[in-house]
Amino acid sequence: MAQPSGEFRQEAVRTRGGELVSGALLVGVGAPDGSEARPCPEEWRPRPRRIERSEPARGPVGGVGRAVGPLALGAGPTDLPLLDREADIAELLGLLAEGRSIRLVGQAGSGRSTLLSAVAEAAADLTPGGVVQLCGHRRTAADLLQDLFAATHHAPGYRPDPGQLTAHLADVRAVVVIDGAEPVGPELEELLATAPGCAFLISVAPAAPQLPAGSRLRDHLVPGLSRAACLALTGRLAGRPLDVAEKAWAVDLWFESEGLPLRFVQAAALLRQRDVSVDALVAAEEDRLDVFGAVEEPVHDPDPAIRENALRRTVPLPSVAETASPAVRLAEGLGESAQAVLRLAVALGGECPTAPHLPALIDVGQGESALAELADAGLAVSVGGHHRLTAGALELLAPHWPARGCVDGAAQHFAWWVGHSSVSLTQVAAEAEVLIGVLLADRTAGRHEAVVRLARAAAPALALALRWGAWERALQLGLEAARRTGSAVDQAWFHHEAGVHAICLRQPSRAIAELESALTLRATAGEQRGVAAARRMIDLLRADGRQLPPAAPAAAAPGRGPVIRKIAARVPAGLKARNGRRRRVVVASAALLTFGVLGTAVAMTMAGPDEHKGNDPHGRLDEVGDTGNAPLPLPSADGSPGTAGTEATAGAAPSAPTGTSGSPEPSASGSASHSPSTSPSRRSSASPGATGTGAPQEPQPQQPEPGQSQPPSQPSGPKPGGSGGGGTGGGGTQPGGGASPSASPTSPSASPTAPSTPPSSPSGSSTATTPAKS
């Protein structure tokens, strides 16, 4: 397969990047971590300017020009006048002059596009804004409104919000002609309501539903041509007058087809193929006479035309069945290049790429001639800047013209093409349907990696070209292919892009769902920059005042704070639910392990505000609620960090007396002590073998059974009023039973029993109750 000029390697594929303005948002497209939207500064917002009638731009980017839609599929507008439509044109012009909007309905091939072109040419002076021609093929209602805005205003790279769009289109007075509109029902009514000053002339598909009551539109049926008009059309397209047999054959076709013009365009193509066979017979006869001569003079009329007619009678006309479905027979009579293009169009779902792509895709050098041959045969029409197969041709040709590998390299070619710097957004918009056709063809063939590659390259280009219906379709197909390949990175990218697309369309619920999916996948894959990009988009939605669910908790590294928090949160609940002596021993062991783990964090929290303030990255270590967004400890009245979380944990255990960290209010000596010896002294005071005076600890009373009352603890220090009274110093204990920080020894050697017991074990642990039980 021939390759385009320049680098055509996988590493040469680039993603197109740029910026556009969507409403009040500035959207950056093509970033490595995905597109992003942010509020657009007021001075950067475009100021749309109305396009006057004298300016040449009368259509959107990638839209149609004045010569849209073939008049007779093979003849230009000036070569073949419109037949048998004078009454329809006059009626439609009268309705448009009154400000009415009309919907053209009729069978496939009835000539609606041809009638639209004729009315558009005649209605140029009906309104101050002139005529705006749009292509509705595979366009959503939002796309059509954007195309109308682009055709009447100069604002490149700007897509207004619905409210802004209504304000800009409110004063537009023009005749809007839309060929092949796909939106129906409420979407079509919304299109008309957004531009109330315009008169619309719209052609719709044959299966379109009926208009609702109170609609601004009124239907106009496009019937078939009369018998005389069909015979005249067939003769003009055949290039010669019809003989008696051909006229009878054409009349039979008129009865069978109800006068549909497309059928007679194809019938004329069949007659031209028959003339080729007749010319071959004439040439063969002349060659035979020149080479071998003749024994006798041949008996024939000397007029060559009469001889040709005689040979034509020997070639039979197509049967009625072949004429009713002539696509296969017409395809067999095409040239080699036209057949290759036709096979490619069938593989792409009826969409034909423009001529510059054909050498790279199917090695056809004369793409313009091949496309013209398809149009002359009635197998293709020109719409929206490129060609597509006519109605019914795809269904008839698909079983007989398989792909045969003609689209194997199409995804690679277009992935390189959309990112090339020499390709304009106008060209990308014109090939939007072809890009979607390539994605669908590769999906059918099972080439999911190629679908992902092309979708990631084409989606940013389609977004910048403001073809957002095709942008959304490319994201959907790419996400489906990424799921089939199992690539979490690609799935996250497509979810992120779909979320940005929903933000631009003002769909917050869908946007938050897509962005949260991207956030989860990127957190699992370890893409920190991608996680940050998704969070920025979620924050943008929340800052915009939209009703959104709360943010998902942040994904933490395994083996860190969340595991400790879960243990600390669950152990007190277990202590409350268990009873019995055996269970109490097991639970006390679990409590010992929990407080041993938390001892370091408690000590660091109470060491002083200047040394450890704000060092805990997880907030309260034993928070039972949402651990992902737990607040940091609040400072107490004396300036040291609060310990409400430790107090809650210690108070939940019925057998554990409250220590220093569990006291509701620290003592005055504790608030005044900020020396480095504070932390070890508090760790030592929590030991069952260390007291405030350094004396051996007295035996602890036996622990009560669950359900019994807890006896009050006796203070171990001097009585109030002594040398250490008043709770301000000395060796007194605090009300909770723990030693005062200022009375604790400054070194572990001050406690004679410290080496034999865990340093962080509370006085109510199982090791302290063993002597009492014995």
Side-chain angles (χ1 to χ4, degrees):
M1 183 174 67
Q3 304 292 347
S5 59
E7 294 288 338
F8 192 75
R9 302 189 303 270
Q10 180 59 34
E11 59 269 20
V13 175
R14 295 175 294 178
T15 301
R16 182 182 291 269
E19 290 183 340
L20 58 91
V21 179
S22 173
L25 297 176
L26 180 63
V27 185
V29 180
D33 301 320
S35 302
E36 289 199 34
R38 60 185 183 274
C40 182
E42 184 65 29
E43 61 273 12
W44 289 7
R45 297 185 183 181
R47 302 295 187 265
R49 177 178 58 85
R50 281 290 303 274
I51 297 177
E52 302 298 334
R53 291 187 58 184
S54 59
E55 301 185 33
R58 300 302 301 156
V61 174
V64 295
R66 293 187 62 84
V68 183
L71 186 60
L73 301 178
T78 59
D79 298 333
L80 186 64
L82 194 62
L83 299 174
D84 208 19
R85 297 297 190 194
E86 293 80 4
D88 292 313
I89 294 176
E91 181 181 356
L92 293 174
L93 288 175
L95 293 174
L96 292 175
E98 296 174 0
R100 303 287 186 88
S101 295
I102 307 108
R103 189 178 73 160
L104 298 183
V105 295
Q107 302 183 47
S110 60
R112 291 162 297 161
S113 299
T114 304
L115 183 58
L116 279 177
S117 298
V119 174
E121 186 175 359
D125 298 328
L126 289 181
T127 57
V131 178
V132 178
Q133 300 188 34
L134 305 178
C135 175
H137 180 59
R138 292 189 176 177
R139 260 81 162 182
T140 62
D143 286 341
L144 290 174
L145 284 174
Q146 174 62 28
D147 289 347
L148 178 58
F149 170 78
T152 55
H153 293 77
H154 179 75
Y158 179 48
R159 189 177 179 108
D161 281 342
Q164 299 170 337
L165 199 60
T166 302
H168 289 307
L169 298 179
D171 57 345
V172 175
R173 304 290 186 269
V175 174
V176 182
V177 178
I178 304 178
D179 186 15
E182 295 189 359
V184 294
E187 292 183 344
L188 198 57
E189 297 297 330
E190 181 182 358
L191 174 65
L192 272 64
T194 307
C198 296
F200 287 83
L201 180 62
I202 305 172
S203 69
V204 295
Q210 295 183 355
L211 293 174
S215 175
R216 283 184 54 192
L217 289 168
R218 60 171 296 178
D219 284 341
H220 179 85
L221 178 63
V222 181
L225 299 178
S226 63
R227 183 173 65 177
C230 290
L231 294 177
L233 175 63
T234 306
R236 291 181 182 182
L237 292 178
R240 59 176 178 79
L242 303 180
D243 58 22
V244 177
E246 291 170 342
K247 286 182 179 180
W249 173 76
V251 170
D252 293 340
L253 177 61
W254 179 77
F255 277 109
E256 188 272 333
S257 65
E258 299 180 358
L260 296 180
L262 177 60
R263 300 287 294 277
F264 289 91
V265 172
Q266 296 172 341
L270 291 175
L271 292 179
R272 292 197 301 269
Q273 289 186 0
R274 181 169 176 258
D275 290 342
V276 172
S277 302
V278 173
D279 293 340
L281 293 177
V282 172
E285 184 180 275
E286 292 177 354
D287 291 342
R288 193 165 52 249
L289 293 176
D290 292 340
V291 175
F292 299 101
V295 179
E296 298 179 358
E297 285 292 330
V299 180
H300 56 73
D301 196 288
D303 189 354
I306 298 178
R307 290 181 55 197
E308 183 177 342
N309 290 333
L311 292 175
R312 183 177 289 111
R313 286 191 292 269
T314 62
V315 179
L317 287 166
S319 64
V320 176
E322 291 175 334
T323 309
S325 302
V328 176
R329 181 160 180 170
L330 287 173
E332 294 174 351
L334 296 174
E336 183 178 354
S337 297
Q339 287 183 350
V341 175
L342 181 63
R343 193 181 301 276
L344 176 64
V346 171
L348 297 182
E351 305 294 340
C352 300
T354 53
H357 294 287
L358 298 179
L361 296 175
I362 52 177
D363 199 13
V364 172
Q366 301 295 330
E368 295 86 352
S369 301
L371 292 172
E373 188 176 352
L374 290 177
D376 290 340
L379 296 176
V381 292
S382 175
V383 57
H386 73 286
H387 288 73
R388 63 180 176 89
L389 298 182
T390 53
L394 178 63
E395 293 76 10
L396 294 173
L397 293 172
H400 304 278
W401 292 78
R404 294 183 182 177
C406 60
V407 293
D408 291 349
Q412 185 181 10
H413 164 75
F414 282 107
W416 166 84
W417 178 77
V418 295
H420 202 276
S421 57
S422 64
V423 178
S424 65
L425 295 178
T426 304
Q427 293 172 307
V428 174
E431 301 286 351
E433 286 77 24
V434 177
L435 295 174
I436 300 301
V438 173
L439 291 173
L440 292 172
D442 282 339
R443 182 186 68 170
T444 303
R447 293 186 289 267
H448 304 297
E449 294 82 2
V451 174
V452 171
R453 188 184 308 114
L454 177 56
R456 292 199 60 161
L462 293 172
L464 292 172
L466 299 180
R467 288 297 310 274
W468 284 9
W471 179 24
E472 181 180 13
R473 185 67 172 140
L475 293 177
Q476 293 172 350
L477 293 174
L479 178 59
E480 178 185 349
R483 287 171 177 168
R484 292 182 179 272
T485 59
S487 174
V489 175
D490 290 325
Q491 293 181 53
W493 188 89
F494 285 113
H495 276 299
H496 181 94
E497 293 295 300
V500 175
H501 176 268
I503 291 175
C504 296
L505 294 182
R506 303 179 66 87
Q507 298 174 354
S509 300
R510 175 171 161 245
I512 199 67
E514 297 286 356
L515 291 171
E516 285 182 347
S517 299
L519 183 65
T520 303
L521 291 170
R522 284 178 162 174
T524 304
E527 290 188 344
Q528 298 302 324
R529 294 181 57 183
V531 169
R535 285 197 175 278
R536 286 194 295 270
M537 294 299 95
I538 296 177
D539 293 341
L540 173 68
L541 287 170
R542 189 164 286 106
D544 200 21
R546 312 192 183 216
Q547 298 297 326
L548 298 175
R560 296 182 63 185
V563 177
I564 301 176
R565 288 197 297 269
K566 290 179 180 179
I567 296 176
R570 292 177 181 176
V571 167
L575 286 173
K576 293 180 180 179
R578 299 176 183 271
N579 52 17
R581 183 170 300 178
R582 181 179 301 176
R583 293 181 178 178
R584 188 166 58 253
V585 173
V586 175
V587 171
S589 302
L592 174 63
L593 174 62
T594 302
F595 284 101
V597 173
L598 296 177
T600 303
V602 173
M604 292 177 63
T605 303
M606 301 185 63
D610 297 332
E611 297 177 11
H612 301 287
K613 184 177 180 180
N615 289 343
D616 182 13
H618 303 292
R620 304 180 189 178
L621 296 178
D622 55 350
E623 186 75 9
V624 181
D626 186 5
T627 59
N629 297 320
L632 293 175
L634 297 176
S636 61
D638 58 353
S640 61
T643 56
T646 307
E647 176 185 345
T649 304
S655 61
T658 306
T660 303
S661 61
S663 59
E665 296 180 359
S667 64
S669 61
S671 64
S673 176
H674 300 296
S675 63
S677 62
T678 304
S679 179
S681 66
R682 290 176 182 175
R683 286 195 298 267
S684 300
S685 64
S687 173
T691 62
T693 58
Q697 185 179 359
E698 297 180 3
Q700 299 292 331
Q702 185 176 2
Q703 301 297 321
E705 294 291 333
Q708 298 180 2
S709 61
Q710 171 70 28
S713 60
Q714 299 296 331
S716 59
K719 298 292 187 297
S723 59
T728 59
T733 59
Q734 297 189 19
S740 174
S742 61
S744 300
T746 58
S747 63
S749 60
S751 177
T753 60
S756 61
T757 58
S760 60
S761 174
S763 59
S765 61
S766 59
T767 56
T769 59
T770 302
K773 293 179 181 180
S774 60

